[in-house]
Amino acid sequence: MRPEFIEESGKWLRALGSEFGFSHEDLYRIELCFAELVTNVVSYSDPQYAGQPMGLHASLEAKRAVLTLFDPAAPFDPFSVAPPPKVDSIEDFRIGGQGVPLIREFSNAHRYERRDGKNKVELVFELEKPISQPQAAKVIRNVDRRHSAKSFGEEKRAGKDRRALGFLSWSQIFHGIPYSALETLVERLTIQTVADELLLLKPGDENDVVLVVLQGSLKIYLDRPGSGECISIDAGGFVGEMSVIDHQPVSAYVVAEAGTRLLVIDSDTFVNEIMLVPGVSKNLLSAFSERMRSSNKVVIQRMRKELEMEFVQRELQYAKSIQEGLLPKEPLFPQEDRLDCCGRMVTAREVGGDFYDIFFLDSQHVFFVIGDVCGKGLPAALFMVRAMAALRAQTGHDGTPADYAAQLITRLNRQLCSYNDALQFLTAFCGILDLGSSTLYYVNAGHNPPAIASGKGEFSLLSEPVNPFIGMIEGLGYRAGQIEFEPGSVLLLYTDGVTEAENNSGGMLGEDRLLSCLNGVRARRSGMLVETVFSAVHDFAEGAAQSDDITVLAISLKE
Amino acid sequence: MEISVEQSKGNVQRIMLDGRLDVPGTQSVEAKFNAAVAGSSKVVVDLGKVPFIASVGLRLLVAGAQAVSKGGGHMVLVSPDEMTRKILKTTGIDQLVKVYDDLDSALASF
């Protein structure tokens, strides 16, 4: 240690004292405790930490001073050291170890904490005389610490012993145990250095050594090495004691990080000698409870993640019910004696990118649409909501229904192209059914061709004309088609979740199967048709998970 | 940190310390202090002008007392201030080395 360092920091404390008007006794106590603390740190810590900066922090309140000393040396709680024994004559008095009792006596409270790789000792002094400055002051100072070759004659030998004791007394097992009780034991044990990251133990392994971490750290993984959740055993900690005591196989993965130094204690020495050293069993028990607490923490973290998951799940459930609420209510037009319509959407996840809509523009014209946003889940659902809102906002109709349908999709494309940084798009089939003239005007924007049947005729695909999909290419014009739609006719719209439904062998349902199953339906009621399509998909999939949203909308003109 | 030594009556070695017995202070007087106690059988260490003592200072005093005691003699302390007295009590040193309030009672003890 450099004498000038303690001197320098002592001067700083005295300057604080005179600036804030400490009483003589208060200043004496503070300076004494600080000097003892620093002396202690310097004499206990490994010389490798010499020269690293220490930090001193003083925090002053009206009637209280809090002094905090940080040092970067190996973990060491000065308050864990037993006080020197009482002796009867001056000859037996052992020099050294008086510092900590002085700190206990002359500070009002003390606390040790290992934090961010530093030892942190906090000393609290209740001041006998309130300080003169009204507002609290906070001062921080970094001090430099170096060992110097020069030291007190008597201290040299003692210092060496105490460093060796320090090296063990900060470990959990040997916490506070006099070095004399361990000296002969420790001499026989080996120290092992792990050069590269190494898997030391894995579940099921037989283990017969206790490893005390002298430097570096061990990581304990419950699930698999390298997984996110692990318990870290840093310098001073130990592993292996459980399997040594109960002879059960190892229950977790233990990985040593590169450069870790371990004191290896064989099971015989551990059980028959070390555990008999007074104080060791208490240390073991407190280490067990600490470890239990930290594994509880890991479990709690896991539970918290699950709860968060549940929360997200609940949010998605809300989103699902909002999305379902946007769709037209079933049954559709129950009071309408000219139309028989039914729609149904089943999403692959909680929310989806499919949609359909149907409403009267006026007493003679019914507008309908079915759409499919690329992708699935929440992003698709947000775009779907945009598309539906934009379509519902289109009111009034100018020109012929064919023009109107074409303009509608042209405008929708323009609207969705703007503010579309995520480059989403959708396919849609929309149309206007003119109930007066029994004519269907429609626009197909990249969507699956719907199935159509007139009267008692077979279902076929309504394929022409075809237009590009909506939302990515600006300035497109869309062409409408028209077809006679006399009473008894049925239009069945669907999304690709129907025709691209897969079975377990990778086959797809396809348009032909769809048409033949529709043609198998005798009474072409819309509800029956929709039901038929869903059960065809269900039967075809043979239990394979639904991978896409499935939507079907059937519109028929009553005879 | 100053140290001065004088022979009092009855062959008592009186060592007067003047200054702080902190790390640098102790270091600066260590050699002279050890030399002053060496070979003496009656030593009075006067702490009347020591406003501060840390454990390094205590070690100096204890080592001195041990050296005197080994030679069959006695070392006593005199006039510590209130805080220093408390420190001697906390460390148990006041049970092993006699502490007096004034020089006369210290001298009378031999």
Side-chain angles (χ1 to χ4, degrees):
Chain A
M1 95 179 75
R2 290 189 312 165
E4 59 268 34
F5 151 56
I6 293 189
E7 173 68 351
E8 187 193 331
S9 38
K11 267 187 197 157
W12 178 67
L13 285 173
R14 288 198 289 282
L16 272 187
S18 76
E19 189 182 346
F20 295 98
F22 289 169
S23 74
H24 168 74
E25 193 183 314
D26 285 336
L27 180 58
Y28 199 131
R29 296 195 296 142
I30 292 172
E31 226 192 311
L32 173 70
C33 292
F34 175 69
E36 297 308 335
L37 202 55
V38 175
T39 307
N40 222 47
V41 168
V42 172
S43 40
Y44 271 82
S45 63
D46 192 297
Q48 65 165 310
Y49 296 106
Q52 293 195 37
M54 288 166 80
L56 169 60
H57 178 259
S59 167
L60 308 178
E61 296 165 29
K63 285 180 155 177
R64 163 187 293 200
V66 180
L67 226 71
T68 314
L69 184 74
F70 303 91
D71 79 84
F76 172 59
D77 176 1
F79 304 106
S80 68
V81 179
K86 269 207 172 337
V87 293
D88 294 322
S89 81
I90 188 70
E91 282 91 344
D92 297 332
F93 192 88
R94 194 171 151 268
I95 290 174
Q98 280 79 35
V100 174
L102 287 174
I103 298 172
R104 287 179 191 276
E105 176 68 22
F106 289 96
S107 64
N108 295 92
H110 58 80
R111 201 155 63 93
Y112 167 79
E113 202 184 350
R114 180 73 181 176
R115 195 175 198 167
D116 304 325
K118 289 190 175 74
N119 295 308
K120 178 184 165 195
V121 176
E122 201 177 69
L123 300 178
V124 180
F125 301 90
E126 306 295 350
L127 301 176
E128 130 202 281
K129 180 184 156 215
I131 63 172
S132 54
Q133 299 262 329
Q135 80 265 47
K138 216 168 201 188
V139 243
I140 300 174
R141 139 169 294 221
N142 280 311
V143 283
D144 176 47
R145 174 167 64 91
R146 287 200 179 81
H147 286 282
S148 127
K150 203 174 153 210
S151 85
F152 298 109
E154 296 92 336
E155 238 193 323
K156 257 183 187 159
R157 190 172 37 81
K160 192 180 156 225
D161 285 353
R162 288 198 298 142
R163 261 203 297 281
L165 170 61
F167 133 88
L168 285 173
S169 73
W170 52 255
S171 75
Q172 271 176 310
I173 294 187
F174 302 119
H175 197 84
I177 292 176
Y179 186 63
S180 56
L182 302 170
E183 199 169 14
T184 54
L185 281 173
V186 171
E187 272 172 3
R188 301 206 310 266
L189 302 174
T190 52
I191 289 176
Q192 194 189 339
T193 301
V194 180
D196 286 313
E197 191 173 72
L198 183 67
L199 178 64
L200 292 176
L201 296 168
K202 57 182 187 303
D205 279 359
E206 296 288 326
N207 171 55
D208 59 357
V209 291
V210 173
L211 302 169
V212 179
V213 184
L214 301 179
Q215 196 181 322
S217 81
L218 299 177
K219 303 266 182 277
I220 298 186
Y221 295 94
L222 301 176
D223 297 334
R224 63 191 156 80
S227 65
E229 290 152 356
C230 74
I231 297 167
S232 187
I233 307 286
D234 296 327
F238 61 96
V239 297
E241 74 296 338
M242 300 224 307
S243 45
V244 161
I245 292 170
D246 66 8
H247 302 295
Q248 294 296 308
V250 175
S251 57
Y253 294 90
V254 179
V255 178
E257 68 175 22
T260 297
R261 282 202 325 143
L262 301 163
L263 179 69
V264 184
I265 308 176
D266 59 279
S267 63
D268 191 48
T269 308
F270 186 77
V271 174
N272 297 321
E273 299 183 62
I274 288 183
M275 278 181 63
L276 304 181
V277 174
V280 165
S281 43
K282 179 177 171 282
N283 287 348
L284 269 174
L285 282 176
S286 49
F288 283 152
S289 16
E290 193 181 303
R291 202 166 302 169
M292 212 148 83
R293 267 194 284 274
S294 73
S295 57
N296 281 351
K297 220 183 270 172
V298 171
V299 171
I300 286 168
Q301 264 169 5
R302 223 183 263 187
M303 279 169 65
R304 183 168 297 152
K305 263 187 205 155
E306 271 165 28
L307 283 174
E308 278 168 7
M309 211 44 186
E310 231 179 272
F311 177 75
V312 170
Q313 208 61 34
R314 249 200 329 268
E315 296 274 272
L316 282 173
Q317 285 300 326
Y318 287 135
K320 181 186 173 72
S321 59
I322 288 170
Q323 184 172 47
E324 284 169 355
L326 285 174
L327 297 176
K329 299 277 173 294
E330 293 287 335
L332 295 166
F333 318 121
Q335 308 297 326
E336 182 54 61
D337 52 11
R338 295 170 290 178
L339 275 177
D340 167 31
C341 303
C342 178
R344 191 167 151 200
M345 177 171 102
V346 174
T347 55
R349 299 184 190 170
E350 277 76 6
V351 292
D354 277 7
F355 64 97
Y356 68 94
D357 206 357
I358 181 164
F359 52 89
F360 275 85
L361 293 171
D362 55 38
S363 60
Q364 290 300 306
H365 297 91
V366 180
F367 171 81
F368 62 87
V369 63
I370 188 167
D372 179 2
V373 176
C374 69
K376 279 172 289 201
L378 217 46
L382 287 170
F383 203 66
M384 164 269 188
V385 170
R386 248 188 101 187
M388 273 191 87
L391 281 170
R392 281 191 185 162
Q394 315 267 1
T395 50
H397 82 131
D398 36 334
T400 64
D403 289 344
Y404 178 68
Q407 282 165 19
L408 197 73
I409 293 298
T410 305
R411 277 202 297 269
L412 179 66
N413 180 54
R414 195 168 55 230
Q415 282 182 357
L416 294 184
C417 278
S418 46
Y419 307 110
N420 185 11
D421 293 344
L423 297 178
Q424 286 178 290
F425 63 90
L426 63 90
T427 67
F429 188 101
C430 78
I432 291 164
L433 179 57
D434 185 336
L435 297 176
S437 66
S438 299
T439 310
L440 182 64
Y441 303 93
Y442 60 91
V443 176
N444 186 345
H447 199 77
N448 301 66
I452 189 166
S454 61
K456 299 217 159 29
E458 296 270 285
F459 273 95
S460 63
L461 296 176
L462 183 56
S463 302
E464 292 292 327
V466 174
N467 295 279
F469 56 76
I470 300 165
M472 261 170 75
I473 306 156
E474 267 181 278
L476 291 175
Y478 287 83
R479 284 185 304 130
Q482 72 179 73
I483 190 168
E484 214 177 313
F485 199 74
E486 56 201 22
S489 296
V490 182
L491 180 70
L492 185 121
L493 306 132
Y494 59 90
T495 56
D496 59 8
V498 172
T499 45
E500 291 172 16
E502 286 183 22
N503 61 13
N504 284 323
S505 39
M508 288 202 284
L509 187 130
E511 291 165 344
D512 292 344
R513 264 194 207 93
L514 173 65
L515 289 177
S516 69
C517 92
L518 287 173
N519 285 328
V521 180
R522 293 242 180 107
R524 289 173 172 169
R525 309 279 307 171
S526 65
M528 177 60 81
L529 290 166
V530 169
E531 188 52 43
T532 302
V533 174
F534 271 93
S535 36
V537 169
H538 179 263
D539 294 346
F540 182 78
E542 299 164 337
Q546 181 187 339
S547 63
D548 201 357
D549 305 330
I550 299 173
T551 305
V552 180
L553 173 62
I555 303 168
S556 99
L557 209 51
K558 287 183 183 168
E559 284 182 280
Chain B
M1 184 78 208
E2 301 291 327
I3 179 170
S4 59
V5 184
E6 65 173 58
Q7 293 277 344
S8 297
K9 56 180 176 182
N11 214 19
V12 175
Q13 187 90 321
R14 180 179 170 211
I15 302 173
M16 283 159 292
L17 296 168
D18 185 352
R20 300 166 51 83
L21 278 177
D22 52 15
V23 173
T26 304
Q27 275 193 327
S28 71
V29 299
E30 188 184 15
K32 279 185 190 168
F33 182 86
N34 288 340
V37 295
S40 307
S41 61
K42 299 172 186 175
V43 179
V44 174
V45 180
D46 195 329
L47 300 173
K49 289 183 174 166
V50 174
F52 181 85
I53 186 166
S55 62
V56 281
L58 296 176
R59 283 173 206 163
L60 181 79
L61 299 179
V62 168
Q66 285 176 338
V68 174
S69 176
K70 245 179 222 166
H74 275 317
M75 185 186 109
V76 300
L77 304 175
V78 70
S79 312
D81 70 17
E82 208 187 320
M83 277 296 289
T84 304
R85 199 175 253 284
K86 268 194 197 168
I87 290 170
L88 293 169
K89 185 168 188 285
T90 303
T91 51
I93 291 172
D94 67 350
Q95 300 298 306
L96 309 170
V97 180
K98 289 208 159 63
V99 184
Y100 295 95
D101 285 332
D102 55 75
L103 187 62
D104 287 341
S105 37
L107 290 175
S109 75
F110 288 103

